[in-house]
């Protein structure tokens, strides 16, 4: 359900968490069955066995759609202000 533009960055974050041991962190869009697009933030860490082999990624995901909408509104306001000052 990832938006096509976000799939590569999510896969990169998962790959880095599983292979390089870095924490997993990604923000991406998903399309719901009704066509609505929601922004999701996911954070986690790979759990490993005694040999270092990754077993799973545990973490949390949250809907950040309201935050993304507020960020967009702020950027648009800043652009309008800059145009008014120019």
């Amino acid at each position: 359900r990832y938006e096509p533009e976000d799939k590569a960055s999510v896969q990169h974050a998962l790959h880095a968490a599983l292979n390089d041991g870095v924490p997993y962190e990604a923000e991406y869009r998903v399309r719901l069955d009704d066509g609505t697009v929601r922004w999701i933030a996911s954070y986690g860490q790979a759990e490993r066995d005694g040999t270092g082999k990754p077993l799973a990624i545990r973490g949390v995901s949250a809907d950040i759609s309201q935050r993304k909408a507020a960020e967009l509104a702020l950027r648009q306001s800043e652009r309008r202000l800059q145009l008014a000052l120019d």
Side-chain angles (χ1 to χ4, degrees):
R1 296 189 178 238
Y2 298 114
E3 286 292 283
E5 300 86 10
D6 299 335
K7 190 172 184 175
S9 64
V10 172
Q11 288 177 335
H12 176 74
L14 285 170
H15 178 78
L18 291 171
N19 295 315
D20 302 331
V22 298
Y24 172 73
E25 184 175 330
E27 291 184 0
Y28 53 91
R29 293 163 293 172
V30 294
R31 185 170 299 274
L32 304 180
D33 290 338
D34 66 0
T36 304
V37 175
R38 305 299 291 180
W39 274 97
I40 306 297
S42 294
Y43 308 93
Q45 182 74 37
E47 291 187 13
R48 301 180 181 284
D49 66 13
T51 66
K53 177 183 173 186
L55 299 173
I57 292 182
R58 295 210 189 262
V60 63
S61 295
D63 184 333
I64 59 167
S65 300
Q66 287 183 339
R67 186 190 92 198
K68 288 293 195 176
E71 289 171 354
L72 176 60
L74 177 60
R75 284 193 305 275
Q76 290 171 341
S77 293
E78 288 171 339
R79 276 190 229 120
R80 284 193 302 271
L81 178 60
Q82 187 61 44
L83 288 173
L85 294 174
D86 287 343

